[in-house]
């Protein structure tokens, strides 16, 4: 018996579990998901008119005044709250369409405040109405007609869904003005009032039963990224409603902009200056408030990522001496540009205007002595596949390159080359510094953009460095460090283009290996010369002038080769992968789990789940019972047939056994007469 019971329990386990879940859902979870509405408190049908609400409340009030019914304090507060909510046209609309009830905390507060007192002592009204001011130009209120045509602009949109009767929307008004000011010129700003039911419903979320709602209430902030025109790609803000949080979310998730982090006096050196690429200009913002960088500055940080790195510092008066001695900053706000090593920082005090900052950044994006990189080679005119900075009509130009590994030796020589560049840029100082009139040739070439001065990281660009410094001691300058001392070297490259070949260039297939090699080489011919003199400014200028004068006056061999490619110095920034890739990357396991829990919680309020579980329990119970019944019947019907067959087969089996036993007996003289037998006659027989 115990075994049969255990078998039955095991067989019916699935329908039992489904039935238990359906009862749990119907009796516990579903009532919590659908608490009594304010219409139920007044004994009215849902979505009834305000006249019916007033009539129901007046009937209750007459009973209270006559003494027929005396409500408790809690009952009176609930009834009065429902009456005030449902007799306000805006509140009633918000509650009926979107389920918004942002003042429900008043119920618990007043119940505790007036506990033990008579209902007549409660101060009325319970709720206060606050109207939002949308008269400011920053509040671009969007109607249904305007919503259909607002996506013609390529800029992203940031929208706030609000209500005139929402206290929280009124409190958020000043913050929204600040957000609109910060995003001016970067994104389009708009507002949608809940009275525009079609637009508000389009921007809202939907419960499993199809009801519109805003999960975090009002105001609700949503964004449409650039190119997004439907709600499928709409992004919702789910954090705390503050200027800093909204701006940072919009800049990261929608505009795909990088963050500019804050550093202290202890972390600025090791975590920012030491880790920044040596070829980039360092831009440091000093702030008194600690606010994040504006979207315009963060957009500049993205656009100028190849040229500059950005950091923020919170200004403290007690740290004045540190920043004054380090950068020359005496107050905040201020912006500091750190360029070449040993060069005095460039400091700007005062508030930063976006347009002014972009102009200053464009002027100072390069170091005083620019670095030759894969990104800047054509811009500097130091690329045999490109052209001179002077223009495409210039057939001969020069590029003086200082190569070496990063270190104090290279920094010292870079400072010398900066003085050379400054001297060549100022013709008056050039005449005083040099007695040789031929030295003016380099100054003229620099002014006409036929000469460029730059420096090269010999360790990173080792192939490029070895290609031009093909000497026995080039390992002291190029490639990984092998010796304790580094030797920076200066060399100049003369580029020359063939005007006839550029004009009549025709694409044709190579007929031989030599022609194929000729097609692979760079279009400009190159000749390089290495400087072996002292590090004096005048000597270097005179040497460059002699090289340029000689290259312009003589007919030199037109020698073309394939120059090694410059290696990119920086990895691809994370924001270059696009907003969707950024979101998927930034969305960690915690956020995914939270979204899954929210979805499950939304479906717990679906009244169809309970009946579905009950139906599943009944169907599984019926199918299991039917299968077990059929099995029992087949077993019972098979037992008597087997018995009868056994009885019928017994005589046959006996006959077979008898025949088999006879067949196996040995032959006997009494059984049959053998064939070769005969009767022997007897002599004495009659």
């Amino acid at each position: 018996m115990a075994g049969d019971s255990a078998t039955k329990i095991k067989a019916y386990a699935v329908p039992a579990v489904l039935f238990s879940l359906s009862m749990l859902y119907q009796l516990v979870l579903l009532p919590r998901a659908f608490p009594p509405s304010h219409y139920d408190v007044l004994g009215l049908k849902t979505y009834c008119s305000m006249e019916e609400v007033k009539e129901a409340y007046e009937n209750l009030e007459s009973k209270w005044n006559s003494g027929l019914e005396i409500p408790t304090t809690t009952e009176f507060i609930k009834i009065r709250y429902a009456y005030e909510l449902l007799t306000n046209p805006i509140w009633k609309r918000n509650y009926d369409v979107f389920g918004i009830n942002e003042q429900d905390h008043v119920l618990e507060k007043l119940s505790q405040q007036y506990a033990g007192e008579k209902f007549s002592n409660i101060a009325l009204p319970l709720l206060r109405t606050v109207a939002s001011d949308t008269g400011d130009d920053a509040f671009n209120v969007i109607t249904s007609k305007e919503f259909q045509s607002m996506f013609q602009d390529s800029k992203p949109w940031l929208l706030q869904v609000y209500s005139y009767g929402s206290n929280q929307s009124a409190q958020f008004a000043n913050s929204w003005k600040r957000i609109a000011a910060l995003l001016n010129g970067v994104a389009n700003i708009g507002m949608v009032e809940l009275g525009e039911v079609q637009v508000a419903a389009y921007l809202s979320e939907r419960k499993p039963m199809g009801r519109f709602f805003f999960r975090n209430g009002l105001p609700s902030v949503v964004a449409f990224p650039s190119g997004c025109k439907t709600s499928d790609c709409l992004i919702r803000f789910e954090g705390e409603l503050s200027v800093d949080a909204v701006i940072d979310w919009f800049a990261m998730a929608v505009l795909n902009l990088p963050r500019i982090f804050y550093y202290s006096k202890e972390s600025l050196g090791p975590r920012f200056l030491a880790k920044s690429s040596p070829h980039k200009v360092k831009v440091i913002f000093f702030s008194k408030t600690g606010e994040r960088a504006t979207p315009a500055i963060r957009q500049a940080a993205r656009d100028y990522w190849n040229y500059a790195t950005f950091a923020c510092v919170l200004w403290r008066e007690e740290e004045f001496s540190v920043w004054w001695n380090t950068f020359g900053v005496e107050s905040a706000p201020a912006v500091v540009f750190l360029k070449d090593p040993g060069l005095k920082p460039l400091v700007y005090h005062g508030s930063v205007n976006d347009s002014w900052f972009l102009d200053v950044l464009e002027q100072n994006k390069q170091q005083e002595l620019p670095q030759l990189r894969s990104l800047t080679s054509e811009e500097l005119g130091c690329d045999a596949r490109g052209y001179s900075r002077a223009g495409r009509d210039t057939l001969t130009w020069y590029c003086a390159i200082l190569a070496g590994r990063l270190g104090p030796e290279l920094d010292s020589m870079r400072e010398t080359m900066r003085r050379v560049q400054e001297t060549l840029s100022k013709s008056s100082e050039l005449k005083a510094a040099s007695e040789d009139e031929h030295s003016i040739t380099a100054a003229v070439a620099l002014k006409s953009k036929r000469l460029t001065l730059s420096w090269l990281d010999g360790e990173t660009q080792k192939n490029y460095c070895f290609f031009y410094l093909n000497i026995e001691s080039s390992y002291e300058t190029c490639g990984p460090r092998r010796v304790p001392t580094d030797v920076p070297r200066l060399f100049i490259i003369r580029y020359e283009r063939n005007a006839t070949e550029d004009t009549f260039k025709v694409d044709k297939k190579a007929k031989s290996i030599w022609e194929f090699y000729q097609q692979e080489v760079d279009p400009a011919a190159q000749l390089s010369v290495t400087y072996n003199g002292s590090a004096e400014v005048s000597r270097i200028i005179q040497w460059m002038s002699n090289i340029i004068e000689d290259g312009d006056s003589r007919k030199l061999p037109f020698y073309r080769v394939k120059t090694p490619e410059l290696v990119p110095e920086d990895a691809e920034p994370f924001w270059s992968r696009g907003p969707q890739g950024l979101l998927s990357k930034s969305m960690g396991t915690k956020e995914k789990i939270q979204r899954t829990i929210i979805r499950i919680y939304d479906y717990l309020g679906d009244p169809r789940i309970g009946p579905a579980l009950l139906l599943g329990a009944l169907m599984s119970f019926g199918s299991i019972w039917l299968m077990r019944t059929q099995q029992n019947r087949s077993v019972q019907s098979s037992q008597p047939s087997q018995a009868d067959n056994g009885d019928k087969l017994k005589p046959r089996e006996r006959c077979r056994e008898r025949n088999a036993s006879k067949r196996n007996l040995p032959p006997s003289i009494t059984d049959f007469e053998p064939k070769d037998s005969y009767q022997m006659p007897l002599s004495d027989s009659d």
Side-chain angles (χ1 to χ4, degrees):
M1 294 295 294
D4 295 341
S5 300
T7 303
K8 290 182 179 180
I9 293 174
K10 185 177 180 180
Y12 291 101
V14 174
V17 172
L18 292 177
F19 180 78
S20 302
L21 291 176
S22 65
M23 292 297 102
L24 175 65
Y25 185 85
Q26 289 294 121
L27 300 177
V28 179
L29 298 179
L30 193 60
R32 292 183 179 180
F34 291 92
S37 67
H38 295 293
Y39 290 99
D40 297 332
V41 173
L42 295 172
L44 298 173
K45 295 181 179 180
T46 307
Y47 308 130
C48 66
S49 63
M50 287 191 294
E51 288 74 14
E52 294 176 336
V53 173
K54 293 178 181 179
E55 183 179 355
Y57 182 78
E58 290 174 356
N59 293 336
L60 293 173
E61 190 176 24
S62 62
K63 294 179 181 180
W64 299 338
N65 295 333
S66 62
L68 296 177
E69 293 182 5
I70 299 178
T72 62
T73 304
T74 303
E75 292 176 349
F76 175 78
I77 291 174
K78 289 182 179 179
I79 294 173
R80 181 68 189 187
Y81 182 92
Y83 168 73
E84 294 184 10
L85 177 70
L86 299 177
T87 52
N88 186 300
I90 297 178
W91 292 347
K92 186 177 187 300
R93 177 203 65 192
N94 299 346
Y95 181 74
D96 290 347
V97 180
F98 301 99
I100 295 175
N101 184 20
E102 66 178 26
Q103 302 187 64
D104 56 350
H105 63 280
V106 174
L107 293 172
E108 184 178 357
K109 179 182 178 181
L110 294 177
S111 298
Q112 296 177 357
Q113 180 180 352
Y114 293 101
E117 297 187 17
K118 295 181 179 181
F119 74 92
S120 58
N121 296 333
I122 299 175
L124 300 178
L126 302 180
L127 307 179
R128 296 181 179 179
T129 59
V130 178
S132 300
D133 180 18
T134 59
D136 197 280
D137 294 336
F139 293 89
N140 179 22
V141 180
I142 298 175
T143 62
S144 301
K145 295 181 180 179
E146 296 171 346
F147 185 79
Q148 297 176 359
S149 59
M150 75 177 194
F151 295 108
Q152 296 178 358
D153 194 351
S154 60
K155 289 184 180 179
W157 275 90
L158 180 65
L159 300 177
Q160 178 197 168
V161 182
Y162 75 104
S163 174
Y164 287 117
S166 172
N167 294 332
Q168 296 178 2
S169 297
Q171 295 172 4
F172 188 64
N174 292 329
S175 299
W176 185 254
K177 293 179 182 179
R178 174 64 177 163
I179 292 172
L182 292 174
L183 294 177
N184 184 26
V186 179
N188 296 318
I189 307 297
M191 299 182 68
V192 177
E193 211 277 328
L194 284 186
E196 299 290 339
V197 179
Q198 293 182 352
V199 180
Y202 185 79
L203 300 176
S204 66
E205 298 180 69
R206 287 192 179 186
K207 291 187 176 181
M209 294 300 294
R211 183 173 183 180
F212 304 107
F213 76 106
F214 292 95
R215 190 178 305 278
N216 298 323
L218 294 181
S220 178
V221 178
V222 298
F224 287 88
S226 179
C228 175
K229 298 182 179 181
T230 63
S231 60
D232 297 335
C233 49
L234 179 145
I235 304 175
R236 301 183 186 278
F237 176 73
E238 299 177 354
E240 180 184 358
L241 285 173
S242 64
V243 175
D244 183 73
V246 174
I247 289 294
D248 185 59
W249 162 79
F250 190 78
M252 289 287 293
V254 182
L255 296 177
N256 195 23
L257 300 178
R259 279 178 177 167
I260 301 178
F261 296 99
Y262 272 82
Y263 298 90
S264 62
K265 64 178 182 179
E266 294 82 11
S267 62
L268 182 66
R271 296 182 60 186
F272 174 69
L273 297 178
K275 293 184 178 181
S276 299
S277 300
H279 59 270
K280 292 185 178 181
V281 176
K282 285 75 174 174
V283 183
I284 306 174
F285 297 92
F286 286 84
S287 172
K288 284 185 177 181
T289 60
E291 291 184 353
R292 296 184 190 272
T294 63
I297 293 179
R298 293 170 72 165
Q299 187 172 3
R302 183 185 65 180
D303 297 340
Y304 288 86
W305 174 81
N306 290 303
Y307 301 95
T309 55
F310 296 77
C312 292
V313 174
L314 180 61
W315 175 266
R316 292 185 175 92
E317 293 296 336
E318 57 271 18
E319 298 176 354
F320 165 79
S321 59
V322 176
W323 304 125
W324 171 256
N325 295 328
T326 306
F327 303 122
V329 179
E330 58 184 15
S331 64
V335 183
V336 178
F337 289 85
L338 300 179
K339 305 178 83 171
D340 303 49
L343 195 64
K344 185 178 179 181
L346 188 62
V347 182
Y348 295 93
H349 291 91
S351 299
V352 176
N353 180 274
D354 294 338
S355 59
W356 171 86
F357 175 74
L358 292 177
D359 294 338
V360 174
L361 182 60
E362 178 64 26
Q363 296 172 7
N364 297 278
K365 69 177 184 179
Q366 292 277 16
Q367 296 178 344
E368 293 297 326
L369 183 67
Q371 183 187 14
L372 179 59
R373 300 185 288 143
S374 58
L375 183 70
T376 61
S377 60
E378 292 189 10
E379 180 182 354
L380 296 176
C382 299
D383 192 344
R385 291 173 291 273
Y387 294 87
S388 169
R389 293 189 301 133
R392 292 177 175 266
D393 296 335
T394 302
L395 300 180
T396 306
W397 70 98
Y398 303 86
C399 185
I401 303 174
L402 173 65
R405 285 185 286 265
L406 298 177
E409 295 85 358
L410 180 62
D411 292 343
S412 177
M413 197 62 187
R414 285 172 61 184
E415 186 175 357
T416 301
M417 293 303 297
R418 284 200 307 270
R419 293 201 303 268
V420 170
Q421 185 173 252
E422 292 176 1
T423 305
L424 292 176
S425 301
K426 301 175 182 179
S427 57
S428 59
E429 295 184 8
L430 177 64
K431 293 178 182 179
S434 177
E435 298 178 357
D436 189 359
E437 296 181 357
H438 295 289
S439 299
I440 198 68
T441 305
V444 174
L446 182 67
K447 185 176 181 181
S448 61
K449 297 182 179 181
R450 292 179 59 244
L451 173 64
T452 301
L453 277 65
S454 63
W455 68 278
L456 179 76
D457 186 349
E459 184 174 1
T460 304
Q461 310 292 347
K462 58 181 180 179
N463 294 334
Y464 191 92
C465 183
F466 279 123
F467 178 78
Y468 288 103
L469 296 177
N470 191 11
I471 55 178
E472 183 178 356
S473 59
S474 58
Y475 62 88
E476 298 177 349
T477 306
C478 310
R481 183 175 281 104
R482 302 179 184 177
V483 292
T485 58
D486 296 331
V487 180
R489 285 185 169 85
L490 174 65
F491 62 93
I492 189 169
I493 305 174
R494 175 184 179 272
Y495 298 98
E496 182 181 1
R497 275 185 172 270
N498 191 330
T500 306
E501 183 176 347
D502 290 347
T503 305
F504 300 100
K505 186 176 181 180
V506 180
D507 294 334
K508 59 180 180 179
K509 296 182 179 180
K511 297 181 180 179
S512 63
I513 298 178
W514 175 252
E515 291 184 1
F516 178 78
Y517 173 77
Q518 289 285 56
Q519 291 181 1
E520 287 295 316
V521 298
D522 297 329
Q526 303 176 67
L527 292 175
S528 64
V529 182
T530 304
Y531 177 68
N532 296 319
S534 64
E536 296 181 7
V537 174
S538 58
R539 292 289 184 89
I540 296 175
I541 293 176
Q542 184 177 0
W543 172 76
M544 288 192 298
S545 297
N546 293 337
I547 294 296
I548 296 173
E549 185 177 356
D550 188 57
D552 292 343
S553 59
R554 294 176 57 187
K555 183 66 175 179
L556 299 176
F558 194 78
Y559 180 69
R560 298 191 303 172
V561 293
K562 179 67 176 178
T563 309
E565 296 286 346
L566 290 167
V567 179
E569 290 80 4
D570 298 312
E572 181 185 10
F574 69 90
W575 58 82
S576 65
R577 294 188 289 269
Q580 296 179 355
L582 177 66
L583 288 176
S584 62
K585 182 85 172 179
S586 61
M587 185 190 301
T589 306
K590 183 178 179 180
E591 287 77 7
K592 293 180 180 179
I593 293 175
Q594 289 178 350
R595 290 194 176 188
T596 304
I597 293 175
I598 290 173
R599 289 186 178 182
I600 294 174
Y601 180 79
D602 290 341
Y603 278 100
L604 288 179
D606 191 347
R608 298 170 294 184
I609 294 180
L613 292 174
L614 182 59
L615 179 62
L618 295 176
M619 293 181 64
S620 61
F621 177 83
S623 60
I624 294 172
W625 177 84
L626 183 61
M627 292 174 60
R628 289 175 61 85
T629 303
Q630 291 177 353
Q631 290 177 358
N632 292 334
R633 288 180 179 178
S634 61
V635 171
Q636 292 175 1
S637 60
S638 63
Q639 289 179 355
S641 61
Q642 291 178 359
D644 296 341
N645 293 335
D647 294 340
K648 293 179 180 179
L649 292 176
K650 281 183 179 180
R652 297 180 181 178
E653 291 178 356
R654 290 173 183 173
C655 294
R656 292 175 182 174
E657 291 177 358
R658 188 181 297 113
N659 296 333
S661 61
K662 290 180 179 180
R663 191 179 305 112
N664 296 330
L665 289 176
S668 175
I669 59 175
T670 60
D671 292 338
F672 58 92
E673 183 178 356
K675 295 181 179 181
D676 56 347
S677 64
Y678 65 96
Q679 184 70 29
M680 180 180 292
L682 297 177
S683 58
D684 55 351
S685 174
D686 294 337

